[in-house]
């Protein structure tokens, strides 16, 4: 496609997007296409296209299967400025064709691999980065850090930004900026704050839930959160499947005009066998928050964080420690909760007892509970296991499974507790699983306030989705006036 025709198509689809917004009467919605550039790049026009095309699909005549398939894709972003035509023309006519590439640093990454994902071939920049302590996150490949580069056609980086997000909310996030000036580079760092936009998508599940969601343009990391958002409902028998309609809202994070990364799944609604199933993200005091119903009850399997009464943490989760009895350095990946002998120990979540055993040289009296395919908990050094508890028994969250003791290798009475995910031990005090069944009143009020606009948007998506089978624009207009789907 030539540049002018891309421009024309882009402008046309923006127009159609606007038309549709007007027709569906979505007055509160500035249904618009974001202009994700300041310093101009043709590649960004391409980036805009899927969004505008998706919106415009509804105002076209879906005459065949392909049209139907396209109509299932919806991404709408609100509160965004309309890109000016002058800017659009600048994009296309700019001499400096820069494309923006973003990647996240992976475990065991190398600078060369990161450069290759950023489409950079720039030995001078590699050398520069290796010499800069400020750019350490890149040269030492710190996992999870986002990196963005503006790259010329001959694959030289015009600029490169490392986004150092602080895990602690109180500390500011820092962006390290490297800029090319001819054959030289400069480096500096500055604080940054993400601007968070909401993106929406709607479609119909196929047999492969995740793939069908990703096919509507939703990033994988968002699609992967769906089974978590509906975890408890799925555990209680909900079977999502082909034909179910889904609508979801998730976060997209920008710095200036540049999209950097996807954020949380905020809300999902699924129409399943005539029922509407919903789940909303809420801040529940855990690091990553959790998914809840509007009544404040959890949609996840909630693990009691400290499953013993009267406890204090005496030994925290760490990869290696010297054993207090044997003096041998060995992995210790559970958490030790010191507590008076005889205090009750609780099942951290619903599950099935998978082991009841005695290990004289280690865990003493201990039990294991399997909670689902992936998660198991272990409770050790008990004086005794609760009466008659045996392998295969179903336990409920909070059921007494044993009593604090010091059997096996233990210096004093404590609960040695392990939470294993896919056979790997995770720190029960730091995991992102919610630990409660219901939000506090304050958290619940916050959820309701946050969910109000989201439910409106889900309803809008529902309307758009139900427009899909109709064939004529007049029908679209009628449908939105009546506010009810025609069948
Ligand atoms: Zn221990």
């Amino acid at each position: 496609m030539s540049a002018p025709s891309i421009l024309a198509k882009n402008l046309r689809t923006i127009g159609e997007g606007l038309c549709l917004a007007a027709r569906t009467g979505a007055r509160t919605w500035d249904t618009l296409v974001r202009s994700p550039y300041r310093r101009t790049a043709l590649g960004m026009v391409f980036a805009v296209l899927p969004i505008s095309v998706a919106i415009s699909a509804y105002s076209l005549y879906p005459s065949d299967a392909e049209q139907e398939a396209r109509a299932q894709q919806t991404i709408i972003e609100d509160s965004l400025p309309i890109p000016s035509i002058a800017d659009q023309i600048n994009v296309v006519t700019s001499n400096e064709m820069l494309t923006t590439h973003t990647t996240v640093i992976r475990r065991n990454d190398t600078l060369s691999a990161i450069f290759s994902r950023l489409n950079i071939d720039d030995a001078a920049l590699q050398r520069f980065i290796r010499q800069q302590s400020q750019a350490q996150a890149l040269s030492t490949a710190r996992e999870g850090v986002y990196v963005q580069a503006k790259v010329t056609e001959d694959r030289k980086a015009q600029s490169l930004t490392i986004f150092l997000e602080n895990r602690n909310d109180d500390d500011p996030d820092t962006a390290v900026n490297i800029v090319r000036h001819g054959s030289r580079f400069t480096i500096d760092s500055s604080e940054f704050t993400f601007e968070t936009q909401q993106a929406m998508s709607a479609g119909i599940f196929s047999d492969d839930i995740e793939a069908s969601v990703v096919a509507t343009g939703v990033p994988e990391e968002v699609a992967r959160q769906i089974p978590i958002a509906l975890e408890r409902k799925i555990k209680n028998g909900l079977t999502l499947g082909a034909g179910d309609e889904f609508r979801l809202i998730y976060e997209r994070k920008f710095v200036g005009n540049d999209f950097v990364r996807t954020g949380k799944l905020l809300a999902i609604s699924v129409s399943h066998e005539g029922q509407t199933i919903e789940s909303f993200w809420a801040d529940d005091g855990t690091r990553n928050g959790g998914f809840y119903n509007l009544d404040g009850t959890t949609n996840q399997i909630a693990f009691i964080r400290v499953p013993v009464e009267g406890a204090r943490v005496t030994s925290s989760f760490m990869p290696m420690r010297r054993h207090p009895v044997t003096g041998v350095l060995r992995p210790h990946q559970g958490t030790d909760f010191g507590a008076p002998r005889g205090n009750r120990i609780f099942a951290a979540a619903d599950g099935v007892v998978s082991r009841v055993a005695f290990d004289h040289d280690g865990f003493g009296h201990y039990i294991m509970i399997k909670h689902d395919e992936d998660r198991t908990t272990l409770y050790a050094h008990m004086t005794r296991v609760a009466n008659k508890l045996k392998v295969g028994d179903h336990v409920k969250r909070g059921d007494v499974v044993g009593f604090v003791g010091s059997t096996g290798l233990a210096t004093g009475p404590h609960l040695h507790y392990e939470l294993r995910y896919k056979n790997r031990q995770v720190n029960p005090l730091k995991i992102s699983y919610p630990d409660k069944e219901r939000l506090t009143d304050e958290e619940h009020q916050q959820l309701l306030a946050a969910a109000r606009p989201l439910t409106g948007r889900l309803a809008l998506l529902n309307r758009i989705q139900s427009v899909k089978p109709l064939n004529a624009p007049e029908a679209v207009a009628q449908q939105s006036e009546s506010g009810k789907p025609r069948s």
Side-chain angles (χ1 to χ4, degrees):
M1 217 186 281
S2 68
S5 75
I6 292 165
L7 176 63
K9 183 160 185 9
N10 196 21
L11 293 175
R12 184 167 60 81
T13 51
I14 289 168
E16 283 164 357
L18 283 169
C19 253
L20 174 74
R23 281 200 206 111
T24 52
R27 278 193 308 144
T28 56
W29 278 79
D30 306 317
T31 303
L32 295 177
V33 181
R34 183 174 180 99
S35 154
Y37 53 82
R38 178 182 292 139
R39 226 167 335 173
T40 59
L42 182 59
M44 300 237 168
V45 178
F46 282 99
V48 169
L49 277 171
I51 298 173
S52 48
V53 167
I55 293 170
S56 66
Y58 294 108
S59 57
L60 300 173
Y61 299 81
S63 54
D64 55 33
E66 189 198 341
Q67 208 63 264
E68 288 267 347
R70 285 173 68 204
Q72 289 178 22
Q73 176 176 347
T74 315
I75 298 176
I76 299 175
E77 294 176 26
D78 62 350
S79 313
L80 301 175
I82 309 175
S84 81
I85 290 175
D87 282 351
Q88 296 264 325
I89 290 165
N90 282 338
V91 170
V92 178
T93 56
S94 165
N95 290 325
E96 212 172 19
M97 295 294 192
L98 294 175
T99 48
T100 301
H101 297 272
T102 308
T103 191
V104 61
I105 300 178
R106 302 168 185 165
R107 185 185 296 227
N108 302 326
D109 229 339
T110 63
L111 191 50
S112 303
I114 297 165
F115 267 36
S116 131
R117 295 202 299 278
L118 290 169
N119 196 33
I120 300 173
D121 180 8
D122 197 333
L125 179 58
Q126 272 208 32
R127 277 195 302 277
F128 180 79
I129 284 171
R130 291 199 194 282
Q131 290 158 6
Q132 302 299 320
S133 59
Q134 279 186 89
Q136 218 173 37
L138 251 188
S139 51
T140 62
R142 199 193 305 167
E143 191 182 0
V145 169
Y146 281 79
V147 186
Q148 188 165 72
K150 307 225 190 251
V151 184
T152 59
E153 280 177 320
D154 60 351
R155 304 186 62 199
K156 303 293 176 243
Q158 191 58 48
S159 66
L160 183 145
T161 306
I162 307 165
F163 296 98
L164 299 174
E165 296 177 52
N166 230 306
R167 296 242 157 186
N168 182 348
D169 283 346
D170 299 333
D171 298 331
D173 296 331
T174 314
V176 176
N177 306 294
I178 299 171
V179 179
R180 173 189 293 276
H181 307 273
S183 57
R184 290 177 44 250
F185 297 97
T186 56
I187 184 166
D188 63 38
S189 57
S190 54
E191 287 181 16
F192 77 95
T193 316
F194 279 123
E195 186 201 334
T196 302
Q197 306 273 351
Q198 292 174 3
M200 318 201 316
S201 189
I204 296 173
F205 287 142
S206 63
D207 286 327
D208 185 335
I209 306 268
E210 187 175 321
S212 52
V213 173
V214 168
T216 67
V218 173
E220 264 177 46
E221 57 264 42
V222 173
R224 276 199 296 265
Q225 293 175 59
I226 293 173
I228 299 169
L230 299 170
E231 182 177 67
R232 178 163 296 232
K233 292 181 161 72
I234 291 168
K235 194 166 189 197
N236 291 339
L238 168 68
T239 316
L240 298 176
D244 291 350
E245 292 187 0
F246 67 87
R247 295 166 282 284
L248 50 85
I249 302 175
Y250 61 96
E251 293 176 335
R252 303 184 79 220
K253 291 176 178 280
F254 293 80
V255 172
N257 286 312
D258 293 317
F259 170 72
V260 177
R261 69 173 180 86
T262 302
K264 297 184 285 285
L265 171 64
L266 291 173
I268 178 162
S269 167
V270 179
S271 303
H272 174 78
E273 294 174 358
Q275 268 183 296
T276 300
I277 293 147
E278 291 179 322
S279 187
F280 296 86
W281 180 87
D283 183 354
D284 57 10
T286 60
R287 189 155 97 199
N288 297 324
F291 291 96
Y292 290 84
N293 295 302
L294 285 181
D295 66 3
T297 55
T298 182
N299 269 325
Q300 290 178 256
I301 311 298
F303 281 74
I304 299 174
R305 196 77 73 216
V306 181
V308 57
E309 64 186 343
R312 60 187 198 287
V313 178
T314 50
S315 162
S316 54
F317 188 89
M318 62 184 96
M320 294 293 274
R321 79 159 183 188
R322 203 161 289 284
H323 192 273
V325 174
T326 63
V328 173
L329 199 63
R330 55 147 209 180
H332 180 271
Q333 295 194 322
T335 300
D336 290 342
F337 296 107
R341 188 180 305 275
N343 273 23
R344 296 179 299 168
I345 296 167
F346 310 110
D350 296 359
V352 176
V353 176
S354 59
R355 182 175 298 178
V356 179
F358 180 74
D359 171 10
H360 183 269
D361 298 321
F363 287 146
H365 286 292
Y366 74 101
I367 73 159
M368 290 173 75
I369 300 173
K370 189 174 160 67
H371 301 282
D372 54 28
E373 284 292 289
D374 296 325
R375 289 174 298 190
T376 307
T377 50
L378 179 150
Y379 313 74
H381 306 309
M382 296 175 172
T383 67
R384 65 180 178 90
V385 172
N387 282 344
K388 295 179 187 156
L389 206 60
K390 58 182 192 308
V391 171
D393 285 352
H394 286 260
V395 289
K396 288 276 185 210
R397 167 193 161 93
D399 281 356
V400 175
V401 295
F403 301 89
V404 175
S406 55
T407 56
L409 284 188
T411 48
H414 74 281
L415 167 66
H416 170 99
Y417 175 63
E418 292 182 9
L419 174 54
R420 298 178 181 176
Y421 176 76
K422 291 189 193 287
N423 285 323
R424 247 183 91 196
Q425 295 178 31
V426 294
N427 184 346
L429 299 178
K430 292 238 175 96
I431 44 150
S432 58
Y433 308 145
D435 66 344
K436 56 194 165 199
E437 302 274 276
R438 179 181 286 278
L439 292 171
T440 64
D441 284 349
E442 192 187 345
E443 289 162 352
H444 187 204
Q445 289 312 313
Q446 281 170 5
L447 165 64
L448 290 177
R452 215 163 286 134
L454 297 181
T455 50
R457 284 163 208 190
L458 289 174
L460 172 68
L461 274 183
N462 198 11
R463 287 220 306 277
I464 292 175
Q465 217 169 5
S466 55
V467 170
K468 190 181 55 206
L470 301 177
N471 284 322
E474 302 80 61
V476 174
Q478 280 172 19
Q479 187 269 331
S480 65
E481 276 156 30
S482 73
K484 280 184 200 150
R486 274 164 43 134
S487 51

Short mmCIF file of all heavy atoms in Angstrom, two decimals, residues 314-316 321 323-324 330-337 363 380-381 409-410 414-418, ligand 1:
data_model
loop_
_atom_site.label_atom_id
_atom_site.label_comp_id
_atom_site.label_asym_id
_atom_site.label_seq_id
_atom_site.Cartn_x
_atom_site.Cartn_y
_atom_site.Cartn_z
N THR A 314 8.64 -16.45 61.90
CA THR A 314 9.94 -16.59 62.53
C THR A 314 11.05 -16.81 61.52
O THR A 314 12.20 -16.55 61.78
CB THR A 314 9.95 -17.76 63.53
OG1 THR A 314 9.43 -18.92 62.88
CG2 THR A 314 9.12 -17.44 64.74
N SER A 315 10.70 -17.32 60.35
CA SER A 315 11.72 -17.50 59.33
C SER A 315 11.03 -17.28 58.01
O SER A 315 10.07 -17.94 57.69
CB SER A 315 12.29 -18.91 59.39
OG SER A 315 12.95 -19.20 58.18
N SER A 316 11.51 -16.29 57.28
CA SER A 316 10.79 -15.98 56.06
C SER A 316 11.33 -16.81 54.91
O SER A 316 12.34 -17.49 55.02
CB SER A 316 10.85 -14.50 55.78
OG SER A 316 12.20 -14.12 55.76
N ARG A 321 19.16 -21.40 53.62
CA ARG A 321 19.46 -20.96 54.97
C ARG A 321 20.12 -22.11 55.72
O ARG A 321 19.99 -23.27 55.33
CB ARG A 321 18.20 -20.49 55.70
CG ARG A 321 17.39 -21.64 56.21
CD ARG A 321 16.44 -21.26 57.33
NE ARG A 321 15.82 -22.53 57.72
CZ ARG A 321 14.83 -22.66 58.55
NH1 ARG A 321 14.31 -21.60 59.13
NH2 ARG A 321 14.36 -23.84 58.85
N HIS A 323 20.32 -24.75 58.43
CA HIS A 323 19.26 -25.38 59.21
C HIS A 323 19.53 -25.21 60.70
O HIS A 323 20.64 -25.47 61.16
CB HIS A 323 19.14 -26.86 58.85
CG HIS A 323 17.89 -27.45 59.42
ND1 HIS A 323 17.83 -27.97 60.68
CD2 HIS A 323 16.65 -27.57 58.89
CE1 HIS A 323 16.59 -28.40 60.91
NE2 HIS A 323 15.86 -28.17 59.84
N PRO A 324 18.56 -24.78 61.47
CA PRO A 324 18.80 -24.48 62.89
C PRO A 324 19.19 -25.73 63.69
O PRO A 324 19.85 -25.60 64.73
CB PRO A 324 17.47 -23.92 63.38
CG PRO A 324 16.45 -24.32 62.37
CD PRO A 324 17.18 -24.48 61.08
N ARG A 330 20.86 -25.43 53.45
CA ARG A 330 19.98 -26.14 52.52
C ARG A 330 18.84 -25.19 52.12
O ARG A 330 18.60 -24.18 52.79
CB ARG A 330 19.41 -27.40 53.18
CG ARG A 330 18.68 -27.12 54.49
CD ARG A 330 17.52 -28.02 54.74
NE ARG A 330 16.54 -27.29 55.55
CZ ARG A 330 15.39 -27.78 55.96
NH1 ARG A 330 15.04 -28.98 55.62
NH2 ARG A 330 14.56 -27.05 56.67
N PRO A 331 18.19 -25.55 51.06
CA PRO A 331 17.11 -24.66 50.65
C PRO A 331 16.01 -24.65 51.70
O PRO A 331 15.69 -25.68 52.28
CB PRO A 331 16.59 -25.29 49.35
CG PRO A 331 17.51 -26.38 49.01
CD PRO A 331 18.32 -26.72 50.21
N HIS A 332 15.50 -23.49 51.99
CA HIS A 332 14.34 -23.41 52.86
C HIS A 332 13.35 -22.49 52.18
O HIS A 332 13.52 -21.28 52.17
CB HIS A 332 14.70 -22.83 54.23
CG HIS A 332 13.50 -22.74 55.13
ND1 HIS A 332 12.70 -21.63 55.17
CD2 HIS A 332 12.95 -23.65 55.98
CE1 HIS A 332 11.70 -21.85 56.02
NE2 HIS A 332 11.83 -23.07 56.52
N GLN A 333 12.35 -23.07 51.57
CA GLN A 333 11.46 -22.22 50.80
C GLN A 333 10.06 -22.15 51.37
O GLN A 333 9.17 -21.62 50.74
CB GLN A 333 11.45 -22.67 49.34
CG GLN A 333 12.84 -22.47 48.76
CD GLN A 333 12.86 -22.57 47.27
OE1 GLN A 333 12.18 -23.39 46.69
NE2 GLN A 333 13.66 -21.74 46.65
N GLY A 334 9.91 -22.69 52.54
CA GLY A 334 8.62 -22.50 53.18
C GLY A 334 8.70 -21.27 54.05
O GLY A 334 9.69 -20.54 54.04
N THR A 335 7.66 -21.03 54.78
CA THR A 335 7.67 -19.94 55.74
C THR A 335 7.38 -20.55 57.11
O THR A 335 6.48 -21.39 57.24
CB THR A 335 6.59 -18.91 55.38
OG1 THR A 335 6.88 -18.42 54.08
CG2 THR A 335 6.61 -17.74 56.36
N ASP A 336 8.16 -20.20 58.09
CA ASP A 336 7.95 -20.71 59.44
C ASP A 336 7.15 -19.69 60.25
O ASP A 336 7.54 -18.54 60.37
CB ASP A 336 9.30 -20.96 60.14
CG ASP A 336 10.03 -22.14 59.52
OD1 ASP A 336 9.38 -22.95 58.82
OD2 ASP A 336 11.25 -22.24 59.73
N PHE A 337 6.03 -20.16 60.79
CA PHE A 337 5.23 -19.30 61.66
C PHE A 337 5.38 -19.83 63.08
O PHE A 337 4.89 -20.93 63.38
CB PHE A 337 3.76 -19.35 61.27
CG PHE A 337 3.48 -18.79 59.89
CD1 PHE A 337 3.17 -19.62 58.83
CD2 PHE A 337 3.52 -17.42 59.66
CE1 PHE A 337 2.90 -19.10 57.57
CE2 PHE A 337 3.26 -16.89 58.40
CZ PHE A 337 2.95 -17.74 57.35
N PHE A 363 10.01 -33.18 58.24
CA PHE A 363 8.76 -32.46 58.49
C PHE A 363 7.97 -32.95 59.71
O PHE A 363 6.98 -32.33 60.07
CB PHE A 363 7.84 -32.57 57.26
CG PHE A 363 8.28 -31.72 56.09
CD1 PHE A 363 8.08 -32.15 54.78
CD2 PHE A 363 8.89 -30.48 56.29
CE1 PHE A 363 8.46 -31.37 53.70
CE2 PHE A 363 9.27 -29.69 55.21
CZ PHE A 363 9.06 -30.14 53.91
N ALA A 380 3.75 -28.54 58.27
CA ALA A 380 4.67 -29.49 58.89
C ALA A 380 4.94 -29.21 60.36
O ALA A 380 4.61 -28.14 60.87
CB ALA A 380 5.98 -29.50 58.11
N HIS A 381 5.59 -30.21 61.00
CA HIS A 381 6.01 -30.17 62.41
C HIS A 381 4.83 -30.18 63.38
O HIS A 381 4.97 -29.74 64.53
CB HIS A 381 6.91 -28.95 62.72
CG HIS A 381 8.10 -28.81 61.83
ND1 HIS A 381 8.97 -29.85 61.59
CD2 HIS A 381 8.57 -27.75 61.10
CE1 HIS A 381 9.93 -29.44 60.76
NE2 HIS A 381 9.70 -28.18 60.46
N LEU A 409 12.50 -32.33 62.48
CA LEU A 409 13.63 -31.47 62.78
C LEU A 409 13.15 -30.05 63.03
O LEU A 409 12.96 -29.28 62.10
CB LEU A 409 14.62 -31.46 61.61
CG LEU A 409 15.52 -32.69 61.45
CD1 LEU A 409 16.57 -32.44 60.37
CD2 LEU A 409 16.19 -33.07 62.77
N ALA A 410 12.93 -29.72 64.29
CA ALA A 410 12.45 -28.38 64.62
C ALA A 410 13.00 -28.00 65.99
O ALA A 410 13.10 -28.84 66.89
CB ALA A 410 10.94 -28.34 64.63
N HIS A 414 6.41 -24.59 65.85
CA HIS A 414 6.09 -23.68 64.76
C HIS A 414 5.41 -24.44 63.63
O HIS A 414 5.48 -25.67 63.57
CB HIS A 414 7.33 -22.94 64.25
CG HIS A 414 8.27 -23.77 63.42
ND1 HIS A 414 9.17 -24.67 63.97
CD2 HIS A 414 8.44 -23.85 62.08
CE1 HIS A 414 9.87 -25.24 62.99
NE2 HIS A 414 9.43 -24.77 61.84
N LEU A 415 4.74 -23.70 62.79
CA LEU A 415 4.19 -24.29 61.57
C LEU A 415 5.15 -23.97 60.44
O LEU A 415 5.44 -22.81 60.16
CB LEU A 415 2.81 -23.70 61.24
CG LEU A 415 2.28 -24.02 59.82
CD1 LEU A 415 2.01 -25.51 59.65
CD2 LEU A 415 1.03 -23.20 59.51
N HIS A 416 5.64 -25.03 59.78
CA HIS A 416 6.38 -24.82 58.55
C HIS A 416 5.35 -24.96 57.43
O HIS A 416 4.72 -26.00 57.28
CB HIS A 416 7.50 -25.86 58.41
CG HIS A 416 8.15 -25.85 57.06
ND1 HIS A 416 9.34 -25.22 56.80
CD2 HIS A 416 7.76 -26.41 55.88
CE1 HIS A 416 9.66 -25.38 55.52
NE2 HIS A 416 8.70 -26.09 54.94
N TYR A 417 5.16 -23.89 56.68
CA TYR A 417 4.09 -23.84 55.68
C TYR A 417 4.68 -23.62 54.30
O TYR A 417 5.56 -22.77 54.11
CB TYR A 417 3.14 -22.68 56.03
CG TYR A 417 2.06 -22.42 55.02
CD1 TYR A 417 1.09 -23.37 54.74
CD2 TYR A 417 1.98 -21.19 54.34
CE1 TYR A 417 0.08 -23.13 53.82
CE2 TYR A 417 0.98 -20.93 53.43
CZ TYR A 417 0.03 -21.90 53.16
OH TYR A 417 -0.96 -21.66 52.24
N GLU A 418 4.21 -24.40 53.35
CA GLU A 418 4.66 -24.22 51.97
C GLU A 418 3.47 -24.12 51.05
O GLU A 418 2.48 -24.83 51.21
CB GLU A 418 5.51 -25.42 51.50
CG GLU A 418 6.85 -25.51 52.20
CD GLU A 418 7.71 -26.67 51.69
OE1 GLU A 418 7.32 -27.30 50.68
OE2 GLU A 418 8.74 -26.94 52.32
ZN1 LIG B 1 10.61 -24.27 58.01
#
